[in-house]
Amino acid sequence: MDQTTPSTPGRDAVLEQLVDLTLAAGTVPYQTDKYFSHARRVVETHGDQEVVYALFLRRRVIAALEPALRLLRRLVPEARVTRFFDEGEIVPSEKKLLEVSGPYSKLSEVETLLLQKVGVPCVCAVNAYDMCRAMPDAAFLDMHGRHGTGAEMNLLAAYGAAVGSETAKFHNDGKVRGFVGSSQDLTAPLYGAAAGSGTMPHALIGYTDGDVLEALKLFVETVPESPTAIALVDYLGLEVTDTLRCARWFYDEAGLDASGKVFGVRIDTHGGRFAEGLDYEKSVDVVGEWLDVDGEYNIVERVLGASVFQLDTGNILIDRARRILFGKGVSAASIIHVRRALDAAGYTQATIVASSGFDRQKCQIMGAASVPANVVGTGSFLPDKLSETYATADIISYGGVTRVKTGRENLLE
């Protein structure tokens, strides 16, 4: 399959940086599992063999293997690789991703380091793919940086999200905006961006005594090169009031739109309260009017499909959908509510950035409800559980003789 993820100078440089970070931690024997070093010593002493490793994951993923392959080329340049899925291609669970052939003495110690580079990007890729397809009209911004373990994980996860985004575009004839940037300079090139994106954290608003407009003014003055001016409007719980204050200053008083700068608001309402002007009943009304549907369960049926009440008899998914649509925090209702306030005041060109827990399920529900979020800031393409990322490698051939441990015969197919 002729797939996605074109190579670019920026992406190439970042992937090489990832390999450098890995090797900076120490030599391969220092980093690998000790039993692999023991195996190397045995075969070096008693006779080397040409072996074939098969690599796979136990869950559905998208192939995002370039970090692993770059490391392999650096460590064992003579190794030969057979790929069964192109970069960006969807891989069913337990299907072989690739086979690696070479001398056992060279490949044994590399196994640990190789597998470390496979699982995280492949799982992040399929999660990002699902998220982008669920909300095709929204641009996504990678904000996972704080949730990673450091630069190496940030690069692995971001590479996966970039691959998943490109795959979503490929499968939807380019009608998906996908990931357009990152909150980090480190990972921005993976999305084709020159630098990280962002305006202000909540702490900066605290610095201005809780005045988001003052924080916005300071930002515009201090970072004039930013093409956007995004106000974070939930600090005081005045999502609508502060949205309109900031929009009025940007458009009517400062006239910054004339310079080409883009104004927007970011909604990141705390999950313990409703956005300004809403409660549960009002939220149902807001979403119902948006979709032209009466009644919360009729809205849920519109969003999740007519069969949901037969399939979800325990109301687990239904209740989750109700929280996302009508509940506290960044709900569908809160985004629609702010959008309507901006439009009513004449600021139809203003952008809405939504953040807070936009995982695959939340994106699916938001997308099905046609929520008017222009940008989604999220790091929730990260795996739900670390065990999802566990990749496995088994040798399936020794010296040209097919041999695999009992239970892994499927790898011979």
Side-chain angles (χ1 to χ4, degrees), residues 25 52 63 65 75 151 172 237 241 243 254 302 322 347 355 376:
V52 179
L65 301 171
L75 295 177
N172 291 269
T241 300
T243 287
R302 165 71 70 84
R322 290 167 63 214
Y347 305 121
S355 56
V376 172

Side-chain angles (χ1 to χ4, degrees), residues 54-58 84 92-97 99 392 394 396 402-413:
L55 277 72
F56 70 97
L57 279 150
R58 292 177 176 83
F84 296 93
S93 61
E94 300 195 26
K95 289 290 186 180
K96 274 189 296 189
L97 290 159
E99 290 180 357
T392 300
D394 280 296
I396 60 174
T402 298
R403 188 181 306 125
V404 68
K405 77 176 186 180
T406 302
R408 291 279 166 79
E409 292 83 2
N410 63 300
L411 296 178
L412 302 177
E413 298 173 359

